Amino acid sequence: MNERNDYLIIALEKARKEFKELKKSGKNNYFKTGNGKPHEYSTLNDIFTSCREALMNNDLNIIYNVTYEDGMNFLITKLNHLPSGQKEISKSILGNSTMTSQAMGSAITYMRRYHIQAMLNLEGDFEDDGNAASVTPAKTQPTNNGQQQTKGGL
């Protein structure tokens, strides 16, 4: 049986009408736009600047927790409607137990940003129509001297 979330959805839709413009102050120099400029994205600070006040005005809050289960680290994000107790939960793998503290911190920040963008239906990153996730691996073909030659892919 599905849990009720009608009060949460109504409060979220009210809050969305109050969200401020979502800025993109983050710069990623590893990914470039078509004209060679660094990729811009919304940082966690940008996201919370845009929506924190509206969420609070509509009795919504966000809680993050990190858990460890079966050798894996997970981030759990909860969007809560305080008066009703209704919530939406997102859970993602961050990595395994061999992660360094720096890698774990980076993964937490990255996934916090993506969880909240998805839960609040925010467009804080560029849309590549799934291209980055659908790149086919490079194929290898034998050459005349018996070595492999890479063809296609990235």
Side-chain angles (χ1 to χ4, degrees), residues 16 19 22 47 50-51 116-118 120-125:
R16 286 180 48 76
F19 286 178
L22 182 59
I47 292 166
S50 170
C51 67
I116 201 59
Q117 284 177 200
L120 301 179
N121 197 26
L122 299 173
E123 183 60 49
D125 218 333

Side-chain angles (χ1 to χ4, degrees), residues 37-123:
K37 292 183 180 178
H39 164 70
E40 296 179 350
Y41 63 93
S42 296
T43 64
L44 268 173
N45 188 53
D46 293 334
I47 292 166
F48 282 112
T49 297
S50 170
C51 67
R52 181 181 291 118
E53 188 177 324
L55 293 173
M56 290 183 351
N57 289 344
N58 289 279
D59 297 317
L60 296 165
N61 84 341
I62 298 162
I63 297 174
Y64 296 101
N65 291 305
V66 176
T67 62
Y68 183 77
E69 303 168 25
D70 300 321
M72 300 300 288
N73 296 296
F74 293 87
L75 176 70
I76 299 171
T77 304
K78 294 179 187 176
L79 174 63
N80 300 290
H81 181 244
L82 300 173
S84 70
Q86 294 177 357
K87 62 185 172 268
E88 288 292 324
I89 300 172
S90 183
K91 181 177 180 179
S92 294
I93 295 173
L94 296 172
N96 63 28
S97 61
T98 63
M99 293 179 79
T100 65
S101 297
Q102 292 81 7
M104 174 73 103
S106 179
I108 290 169
T109 300
Y110 183 84
M111 288 310 299
R112 282 180 67 200
R113 191 163 52 90
Y114 277 94
H115 274 194
I116 201 59
Q117 284 177 200
M119 290 177 129
L120 301 179
N121 197 26
L122 299 173
E123 183 60 49

Side-chain angles (χ1 to χ4, degrees), residues 105-150:
S106 179
I108 290 169
T109 300
Y110 183 84
M111 288 310 299
R112 282 180 67 200
R113 191 163 52 90
Y114 277 94
H115 274 194
I116 201 59
Q117 284 177 200
M119 290 177 129
L120 301 179
N121 197 26
L122 299 173
E123 183 60 49
D125 218 333
F126 74 98
E127 172 59 51
D128 73 347
D129 199 29
N131 290 326
S134 62
V135 171
T136 55
K139 296 180 181 173
T140 58
Q141 295 180 348
T143 62
N144 289 341
N145 60 6
Q147 295 181 351
Q148 299 281 326
Q149 178 180 353
T150 301

Side-chain angles (χ1 to χ4, degrees), residues 3-11 86:
E3 288 186 36
R4 286 182 58 173
N5 67 357
D6 52 331
Y7 293 115
L8 183 144
I9 297 296
I10 291 167
Q86 294 177 357

Side-chain angles (χ1 to χ4, degrees), residues 28-39 126:
N28 185 338
N29 290 311
Y30 291 102
F31 293 101
K32 306 284 184 182
T33 63
N35 60 5
K37 292 183 180 178
H39 164 70
F126 74 98

